[in-house]
Amino acid sequence: MVDWLYFVQSNNEYHDLMSFLLGGRDVSGTNYLVFSEDVESDDGRVFHTSGGYLLAVNFLSYASDLEAELDKVGLNSGSLVDLYKIVCEDSDPLTKAITITESAKNFIWEKKLEKFAVGKHFKFNDGSALTIPLICREKFNL
């Protein structure tokens, strides 16, 4: 099982990603991480904050072809990173994931993420504001 981070760049992308993940995919443990600093992967990609924040959807999956599946539905597979491939001062594989997730604000519930985003006046790089996708509202009775 791979512990994935998908760095979201717009509200539309967030909605599309959640539709993809909750639409019968073999994923579990979905939560949201909001970083207050840019995040770098060990292959040199850098994910930049917007207005001081960077949203990543964190989830677990056994899918071996996840990148190809994302591309098929028009999502950016370049925004997907194995959590253990994030650059961090902690190189111990037993504690690295904890160090990374503790460096961010962690949200399990969409309503709390939305409340945070509204309270901080968070906007994505394209200027859009975060809203809860309909699929989340339906699936989780929000």
Side-chain angles (χ1 to χ4, degrees), residues 42-58:
D42 65 4
D43 63 5
R45 288 179 288 166
V46 178
F47 302 94
H48 298 284
T49 62
S50 175
Y53 299 102
L54 172 63
L55 173 64
V57 178
N58 181 216

Side-chain angles (χ1 to χ4, degrees), residues 49-130:
T49 62
S50 175
Y53 299 102
L54 172 63
L55 173 64
V57 178
N58 181 216
F59 60 94
L60 302 169
S61 177
Y62 284 113
S64 60
D65 61 344
L66 197 55
E67 289 98 340
E69 291 297 316
L70 287 168
D71 287 335
K72 280 183 193 175
V73 298
L75 288 162
N76 179 6
S77 62
S79 292
L80 185 71
V81 181
D82 181 330
L83 178 68
Y84 290 91
K85 306 281 183 177
I86 296 297
V87 174
C88 164
E89 69 277 355
D90 187 348
S91 60
D92 182 347
L94 297 175
T95 57
K96 183 175 184 172
I98 294 168
T99 300
I100 293 167
T101 57
E102 286 182 348
S103 72
K105 293 194 179 298
N106 194 336
F107 299 93
I108 296 171
W109 307 111
E110 288 79 7
K111 280 286 207 188
K112 290 191 178 195
L113 173 65
E114 182 181 49
K115 184 178 179 181
F116 171 83
V118 168
K120 298 294 184 182
H121 306 286
F122 172 75
K123 301 273 189 213
F124 289 102
N125 289 335
D126 69 349
S128 61
L130 180 135

Side-chain angles (χ1 to χ4, degrees), residues 9-76:
Q9 300 301 312
S10 74
N11 190 56
N12 284 338
E13 182 180 41
Y14 171 54
H15 283 242
D16 292 346
L17 176 66
M18 296 313 294
S19 292
F20 172 81
L21 293 176
L22 298 175
R25 299 281 179 245
D26 183 24
V27 300
S28 61
T30 303
N31 66 304
Y32 308 94
L33 300 175
V34 180
F35 296 91
S36 58
E37 296 181 355
D38 294 348
V39 176
E40 184 178 352
S41 66
D42 65 4
D43 63 5
R45 288 179 288 166
V46 178
F47 302 94
H48 298 284
T49 62
S50 175
Y53 299 102
L54 172 63
L55 173 64
V57 178
N58 181 216
F59 60 94
L60 302 169
S61 177
Y62 284 113
S64 60
D65 61 344
L66 197 55
E67 289 98 340
E69 291 297 316
L70 287 168
D71 287 335
K72 280 183 193 175
V73 298
L75 288 162
N76 179 6

